[in-house]
Structures are given as structure tokens and as C-alpha cells.
Amino acid sequence: MEILRLYDFLPSGNGYKIRLLLTQIGMPFERIEVNITKGETRTPEFLSKNPHGKIPLLEIEPGKYLSESNAILVYLSEGTEFLPYDRFLRAQVMQWLFFEQSSHEPFIATSRYLISILGKAEEYQEAIKQRREPGYAALKLMEKHLSANQFFVGERYTIADIALFAYTHVANEGGFDLTQFSAIQAWIERVKSQSGYISINQE
Amino acid sequence: MEILRLYDFLPSGNGYKIRLLLTQIGMPFERIEVNITKGETRTPEFLSKNPHGKIPLLEIEPGKYLSESNAILVYLSEGTEFLPYDRFLRAQVMQWLFFEQSSHEPFIATSRYLISILGKAEEYQEAIKQRREPGYAALKLMEKHLSANQFFVGERYTIADIALFAYTHVANEGGFDLTQFSAIQAWIERVKSQSGYISINQE
């Protein structure tokens, strides 16, 4: 089998999800840095690989690509301990993955991008302000769930935790205050203590 | 087995996805109308079923709930002709499902909601204007893909088509002009000709 190639941008939480899972599974991969702040996902060459112009992008074998971070997580975790085999538990994992992409990432990740990656908090203050309330709503929902559960699904660490951890643990970089969310904070520590854990800035 | 209960709102494209698939699979279900414009997803009773306060919500058996339309599609289609068995094809279905929720629905569905469901185009003109460009970007990407493919994945009708069809075929209700997208228009007709097709306003 060819080695997996991951087109990635180190500060990206979406890219980090894949790096973290691959490392925890123990699957070797080659990481190719693509700087999204310099338009490197918009070149004709990159667009020929992913017409959507986004990272992470996984090259499974030469010329065979898969995009969308959470779709990549599902693909890589099938048959591993990180995706439950039980049909309803697996459905709950999917539920949290879609929640992450529709109700969490657009607000929390985007705020972090504007403030800490682009460093343009002033220029984008209106966009950041609009994301405050829905971002906190997502965190409150997570807090409620984690107040009664150790992990998101089935009381075990799964890709649902990986997907939600990626941007939650750096939410402060998007101006979100996590100190009021004690269950989230305890869960962040549980995730960090998992075997094979790597940090977001670790290549 | 208990009959499935679907908490739903008839004009909702996310709800329609589930109605359409269940009808095409031939699985009976009870539909419970919840009017989101009247706050019926925010009552303590509904929030006890889905803390996220959203429809569609599938009650698989009494007290056992699943939310997020695309997670429900995956759950219901497993083992049917609407979800490929091949691992890479299934991953591509997931890719389009996440694309739909992160890059399509927030712009096209939301515009339709503000303009045609709430009827508040004037009040929300700034929010609608902000969604124009990313909405058209999603449609362009779909047009490109459909110019070379009959369906989204594996040249067969799957839940990827159902998920993308739901809000695309009524995109005009959100102020998006589909006349320039001939491949999308041809695909809409192909979806409408599928066995067991029902329209969005059909209970």
C-alpha cells in the first residue's frame, strides 16, 4: 500500500483532526504543508486535486482524493476502536460530527481564524461579534452533555471527541472564555491523556 | 419493531431529506409537525427530546432519539441501495454530506428561510446579501461535478443526492437563480424521476 499523503495547514483544527487520529491509529503518513493564508489552496494545481480548494485533503493513493475533515475521520476510523461498531452508537457519532461542522466550527473556528491566524480582529469585528452567540450556544450544549458523560458517545473516546476537541481546546484563541465550562475543561484533560495524543502545533 | 416517529416541519428541506428517503425505502413512519417559526422546537418538552432544539428529529424507539438530518440519512440508508457498500464510495458520500452542511445549507437554506418561510427579506437584507457569494460558490462546485457525472457518487442515486437536492431544487425561493446551471437542472429532473419520489410539500 502507498503511504497516505495529507495536504494540511499546521494551525488548522480541521487538519489537526486527521493528524491526531492517524497518529493514534499508528498509521504513517506524509504531511504536505499548504498555507491557506497565502492562497496556496487556490492555485490551479491544488484545485485540480480538490475543486473545493480546501485542506485537509487526503490522498489515499496517487490521484485518489478525499476532502472534508469529518468524512476523512469516518473513512480512516472504520474498523478501529475510534468508531463504534454498534449501529446506533455510530449514528450518534455521525450526529456529533454534523453538529460540529454546522453549529460549532463556523463560529468558533472562524473566530479563531480571523483573530489569531489572520490577526485581523479589528477589521473583522462585526463578523466576530455575529459568531459570539451561536459559538457559546454550541459550547453550552457540549457542557450539558459532558456534565453527564465522560465522552460524547458510548462513554469511550471516539472520532466524535476528536472532531469536537480540535477547535474547542483552542476556543480561547477565538475569544471564547472556557473558564465557565468546567465539564468541557475536564473533558479536554481526558482527551489530552489519551494514548498517542499530539498537540495541534506538533508536526 | 416500533414505528419510526419523525419530528418534522413541512417546509424544511432538512426534514424533507428524511421524508423522501423513508418513502423511497418504503419504511412507514409517523410524522409529527413542529412549527419552528412558532418556537415549538424551543419548548421544555421538545428540548427534553433534542437539547439542540432542532428538527428533523427521529425517534427510533420510545425515548431513543437521533438528530442532524444527514446523520439520520446515514443511519437509515445503511444496508440499502441508497448508501454504497464500497468503502471509498461511501467516504465520497460522506464528503458530499459534510459539504452540504458546511458549504451549502448555511447559505442557500438560510436565505430561503429568511425570504420565503419567514417572509422577512427586507429586515434581513444584509444577512441575505452575505450569503449570496458562498451560496453561488456551492452551486458552481455542484455544476462542475454534475457536468461530468450523472449523480454525486458512483453514477448512482444515493443519499448524497437526496441531501443536496433538498435545498438546491428550491434555491430560487432563497433568491438563487438556477437558470445558469444546466447540469444542476438536468440532475434535478433525474432526481425527480426516481422511484418513490415525493415533493417537499407532500405529507
Side-chain angles (χ1 to χ4, degrees):
Chain A
M1 196 174 137
E2 306 276 344
I3 194 168
L4 294 170
R5 301 180 99 179
L6 178 65
Y7 293 83
D8 189 15
F9 176 52
L10 196 60
S12 165
N14 284 328
Y16 172 53
K17 295 172 188 174
I18 316 304
R19 267 174 262 150
L20 177 55
L21 176 64
L22 283 170
T23 304
Q24 293 188 306
I25 289 181
M27 198 179 283
F29 63 102
E30 180 189 355
R31 214 180 67 81
I32 295 150
E33 184 77 357
V34 183
N35 192 326
I36 64 177
T37 69
K38 293 183 178 162
E40 291 177 8
T41 46
R42 299 288 160 178
T43 63
E45 198 206 335
F46 190 83
L47 289 170
S48 75
K49 296 179 172 70
N50 181 8
H52 201 191
K54 292 194 170 184
I55 60 91
L57 180 70
L58 188 69
E59 190 170 3
I60 293 166
E61 50 187 72
K64 204 168 166 183
Y65 299 98
L66 189 61
S67 68
E68 294 291 335
S69 59
N70 289 358
I72 298 173
L73 285 183
V74 173
Y75 174 80
L76 291 172
S77 65
E78 282 198 18
T80 77
E81 64 192 292
F82 303 95
L83 182 65
Y85 183 75
D86 175 84
R87 188 180 172 201
F88 185 61
L89 291 180
R90 206 165 54 241
Q92 288 178 297
V93 168
M94 297 294 172
Q95 178 187 295
W96 285 108
L97 294 184
F98 284 107
F99 164 80
E100 192 269 337
Q101 282 292 292
S102 61
S103 303
H104 184 293
E105 198 258 27
F107 313 115
I108 295 173
T110 305
S111 298
R112 172 177 174 263
Y113 183 75
L114 299 174
I115 295 169
S116 297
I117 312 286
L118 289 186
K120 294 186 172 172
E122 189 128 357
E123 186 178 335
Y124 290 104
Q125 59 177 308
E126 189 52 38
I128 292 162
K129 194 178 148 208
Q130 283 177 4
R131 284 162 175 81
R132 202 52 74 217
E133 192 190 317
Y136 274 116
L139 293 172
K140 278 178 194 152
L141 194 74
M142 290 174 66
E143 177 74 9
K144 186 177 159 75
H145 189 78
L146 291 170
S147 299
N149 299 279
Q150 295 282 300
F151 293 104
F152 278 93
V153 178
E155 292 300 298
R156 270 179 47 192
Y157 177 71
T158 69
I159 56 169
D161 300 288
I162 292 179
L164 283 160
F165 178 79
Y167 287 111
T168 302
H169 85 294
V170 289
N172 65 306
E173 298 176 13
F176 290 93
D177 175 18
L178 290 182
T179 58
Q180 61 189 294
F181 300 111
S182 59
I184 290 180
Q185 287 186 66
W187 165 78
I188 285 174
E189 292 311 312
R190 278 194 293 281
V191 173
K192 287 185 176 175
S193 73
Q194 295 299 307
S195 170
Y197 174 79
I198 55 166
S199 70
I200 190 167
N201 51 12
Q202 207 170 326
E203 288 196 60
Chain B
M1 195 175 137
E2 306 276 346
I3 194 169
L4 295 171
R5 301 180 98 180
L6 179 65
Y7 294 84
D8 189 14
F9 176 52
L10 196 60
S12 164
N14 285 328
Y16 172 52
K17 296 172 188 174
I18 316 304
R19 268 174 259 148
L20 177 55
L21 176 64
L22 283 170
T23 304
Q24 293 189 306
I25 288 179
M27 197 179 282
F29 63 101
E30 179 189 356
R31 213 180 67 80
I32 296 151
E33 185 76 356
V34 183
N35 192 326
I36 64 176
T37 69
K38 292 182 179 163
E40 292 177 8
T41 46
R42 300 287 161 178
T43 63
E45 197 206 337
F46 190 83
L47 288 171
S48 75
K49 296 180 171 68
N50 181 9
H52 201 190
K54 291 194 171 182
I55 61 90
L57 180 71
L58 188 70
E59 190 169 5
I60 293 166
E61 50 188 73
K64 202 168 167 183
Y65 299 98
L66 189 61
S67 68
E68 294 292 336
S69 59
N70 290 358
I72 299 172
L73 285 183
V74 173
Y75 174 80
L76 292 171
S77 66
E78 281 198 19
T80 77
E81 63 192 294
F82 302 96
L83 182 65
Y85 184 73
D86 174 84
R87 188 180 171 202
F88 186 60
L89 291 179
R90 205 166 56 240
Q92 289 179 296
V93 168
M94 297 295 171
Q95 177 187 296
W96 285 110
L97 294 183
F98 284 107
F99 165 81
E100 193 268 339
Q101 281 292 291
S102 61
S103 303
H104 183 293
E105 199 257 308
F107 312 115
I108 296 174
T110 305
S111 297
R112 172 177 173 263
Y113 184 75
L114 299 174
I115 295 170
S116 297
I117 312 286
L118 289 186
K120 293 186 174 173
E122 190 128 0
E123 185 177 334
Y124 289 102
Q125 59 177 309
E126 189 52 36
I128 293 162
K129 194 178 147 209
Q130 282 177 6
R131 284 163 174 80
R132 202 52 73 215
E133 192 190 316
Y136 274 116
L139 293 171
K140 277 178 196 153
L141 194 75
M142 291 173 64
E143 177 73 10
K144 186 177 160 73
H145 189 79
L146 291 169
S147 300
N149 299 277
Q150 296 280 302
F151 293 103
F152 277 94
V153 178
E155 293 300 297
R156 270 178 48 191
Y157 177 71
T158 69
I159 55 169
D161 300 288
I162 292 179
L164 283 161
F165 178 80
Y167 288 110
T168 301
H169 85 294
V170 289
N172 64 307
E173 297 175 16
F176 290 93
D177 175 18
L178 289 181
T179 59
Q180 62 189 294
F181 300 111
S182 59
I184 289 179
Q185 287 186 66
W187 166 77
I188 285 174
E189 292 312 310
R190 277 194 293 280
V191 172
K192 287 185 175 173
S193 72
Q194 296 298 308
S195 169
Y197 175 81
I198 55 166
S199 69
I200 191 168
N201 51 13
Q202 208 171 323
E203 288 196 62

